[in-house]
Amino acid sequence: MEEQEKTGRIIRRLRCHWQHEGRKNKQLVLLEIGKGGIHCSCWQADCCLWQKEKLLESAWLDGGADWWQELREVLQDIFIWARVPEMVDAIWILEEELVMSEQLEFPPLKETELAQAVAWETEQLLPGNSAEYNTAYAISDTGSAQVLVHLWAWPKEQVQLAASLSLTLHFRLRAILVGMSTEKVQRAWYKGYSFNNWSLQEEHPWSLVQAKQLLNSSYPRRFLLYCLALSMGLYGVTQGALFVAGKGLERGEQELAQYIVWQERMAQSQRLEQTLARYRQLDKRVREETTQVSGSVQRLGKSISAGCWLELLKGDAKSKEWLLEGACHQPELLSRLVDDLQQDPKLVQVRLQGSQQQGESFTFSLLVKEK
């Protein structure tokens, strides 16, 4: 049991430190509520920002509807006057005349034992209807012999009305306390205390009521509008980026197409250059051979004497052997042609391979060889 209490104290200290860090520089609205009036104040960790007091015309009458309606209107006017932001933290401080209160005495007990003793005494004080009340207690005096405990009880119906009022006015109801000063509550809040035993509200403030508070506030709408604006902004940026990327891609495709065309033209030009170079080499060789053949043919053609003619010339420029075929009008002209060719200094051999009369002319076939 001692280990459990030690672990519980460590957990409470850690939670207190975490809540202390989370409550820094945040506003806290304290609502001191009595039968005939209300005193509001807004606090921060180091000062009080504003205070406002307002009387209520409606009588309490155990929490009638008129009193709650006037309380809602008064709080709404005060919140508008003070420009209280939505979902601000708020704590109710009730006068003791609004709740049931009792003084209890116990012998010195541990925390868990004291909580069990207070629960048992509550059942005895509220027989048969204890489930219809929310209770809270505070240790007001600790002596060596007795522990003095102050016990409060408030109907759950009134707690629900307070929660409904917080939903309507869009603030977070953190605790419902009794008989405490605003200075003490402010110091305890910013130190990180939880008010678990002091508060008449349920032990879990982030329950369904707090969820409804958050849903009924403007924060979800603001969040949705922010998400919508962010989505539209992201959509616009994405569309702009896609448009720029499309333009860049189109320009890149055009440049790539131009580059491909340039490559094709370059390759075609290279092929044409290569083909032209081959044609030039071929033309050069043909011109060289043609020049040699043309010179030999021209010289041999001029060697044919009058009365004879050349019909065919065959030969090889490399071997320099030529076959001449033609005809003469008379045999004497043929003999003169052979003699003239044999006397040509550029010819090393002249040989008559054959002659034949055809009609009135004589055909011949001569084989000549150049030097």
Side-chain angles (χ1 to χ4, degrees):
M1 184 67 69
E2 292 181 359
E3 293 295 332
Q4 292 181 354
E5 291 183 358
K6 186 182 297 184
T7 304
R9 287 194 294 270
I10 293 174
I11 293 175
R12 284 196 297 272
R13 282 197 293 268
L14 291 175
R15 182 175 58 188
C16 183
H17 175 73
W18 176 76
Q19 291 180 156
H20 167 70
E21 294 296 326
R23 293 170 182 174
K24 285 183 179 179
N25 302 322
K26 287 187 178 180
Q27 293 185 10
L28 174 66
V29 176
L30 297 179
L31 307 175
E32 296 180 81
I33 299 175
K35 287 185 177 181
I38 179 173
H39 179 82
C40 298
S41 58
C42 181
W43 293 77
Q44 281 193 344
D46 55 351
C47 65
C48 177
L49 299 181
W50 54 264
Q51 293 185 2
K52 186 75 171 180
E53 190 172 357
K54 192 79 172 182
L55 298 178
L56 298 177
E57 297 179 358
S58 300
W60 166 244
L61 298 178
D62 293 333
D66 295 339
W67 185 87
W68 281 101
Q69 178 64 24
E70 185 179 359
L71 178 63
R72 185 187 69 81
E73 294 175 356
V74 168
L75 286 177
Q76 188 174 21
D77 292 340
I78 292 175
F79 281 16
I80 293 174
W81 166 80
R83 297 181 180 180
V84 177
E86 291 188 351
M87 304 308 292
V88 68
D89 294 325
I91 295 178
W92 285 29
I93 304 175
L94 303 179
E95 294 182 357
E96 290 201 17
E97 59 184 1
L98 299 179
V99 300
M100 297 176 59
S101 63
E102 288 289 340
Q103 293 283 347
L104 304 176
E105 292 184 0
F106 297 97
L109 298 172
K110 296 180 180 179
E111 292 182 7
T112 55
E113 295 174 347
L114 183 61
Q116 293 175 359
V118 171
W120 187 84
E121 288 292 339
T122 301
E123 292 179 356
Q124 303 304 314
L125 293 173
L126 303 172
N129 60 353
S130 60
E132 298 178 0
Y133 287 85
N134 283 3
T135 60
Y137 68 90
I139 301 173
S140 58
D141 186 20
T142 303
S144 59
Q146 296 292 330
V147 176
L148 185 61
V149 176
H150 203 155
L151 175 67
W152 301 285
W154 208 32
K156 288 187 176 181
E157 181 182 359
Q158 303 298 323
V159 177
Q160 292 175 357
L161 289 174
S164 177
L165 181 59
S166 66
L167 285 174
T168 304
L169 298 180
H170 300 161
F171 64 85
R172 293 191 182 100
L173 182 58
R174 294 300 192 179
I176 302 176
L177 308 179
V178 182
M180 298 180 66
S181 65
T182 56
E183 291 80 4
K184 182 178 180 180
V185 174
Q186 184 262 351
R187 288 195 300 269
W189 173 259
Y190 286 107
K191 286 181 179 179
Y193 294 169
S194 297
F195 306 109
N196 287 337
N197 297 325
W198 303 352
S199 177
L200 291 168
Q201 194 182 11
E202 285 75 5
E203 293 185 359
H204 303 287
W206 279 105
S207 59
L208 183 60
V209 174
Q210 293 292 331
K212 289 181 179 179
Q213 258 187 340
L214 183 61
L215 291 175
N216 290 335
S217 67
S218 63
Y219 283 98
R221 294 189 295 273
R222 292 178 182 175
F223 179 74
L224 291 176
L225 290 175
Y226 173 77
C227 291
L228 180 60
L230 181 61
S231 300
M232 293 179 65
L234 290 176
Y235 176 77
V237 172
T238 304
Q239 292 298 319
L242 289 176
F243 177 77
V244 174
K247 288 295 184 181
L249 182 60
E250 182 179 355
R251 185 167 57 253
E253 290 178 350
Q254 293 177 356
E255 293 177 355
L256 182 60
Q258 294 176 358
Y259 177 72
I260 293 174
V261 172
W262 178 83
Q263 276 191 328
E264 292 178 352
R265 291 179 178 176
M266 188 67 182
Q268 185 178 6
S269 177
Q270 291 177 352
R271 291 194 296 269
L272 290 175
E273 288 289 341
Q274 294 174 358
T275 304
L276 183 59
R278 290 195 299 269
Y279 284 156
R280 287 173 179 172
Q281 293 177 359
L282 181 60
D283 181 66
K284 183 178 179 181
R285 290 196 297 267
V286 169
R287 285 179 178 275
E288 291 176 354
E289 295 177 358
T290 304
T291 303
Q292 296 174 359
V293 173
S294 298
S296 300
V297 170
Q298 185 177 4
R299 186 170 48 80
L300 291 174
K302 291 181 177 180
S303 300
I304 304 300
S305 59
C308 297
W309 63 90
L310 189 63
E311 295 179 352
L312 178 63
L313 188 146
K314 292 181 180 179
D316 187 1
K318 292 182 180 180
S319 61
K320 298 183 178 182
E321 290 184 355
W322 305 95
L323 176 63
L324 285 71
E325 294 183 357
C328 294
H329 291 294
Q330 297 178 0
E332 292 83 4
L333 297 176
L334 177 58
S335 299
R336 186 186 303 172
L337 175 60
V338 174
D339 292 339
D340 292 340
L341 291 176
Q342 288 177 350
Q343 294 177 3
D344 190 344
K346 293 185 178 181
L347 300 177
V348 297
Q349 182 181 1
V350 178
R351 185 174 61 195
L352 182 61
Q353 291 186 340
S355 63
Q356 186 178 1
Q357 183 177 1
Q358 291 185 354
E360 297 180 354
S361 61
F362 293 87
T363 61
F364 60 88
S365 176
L366 288 173
L367 180 62
V368 300
K369 186 175 183 181
E370 295 181 318
K371 291 182 179 181

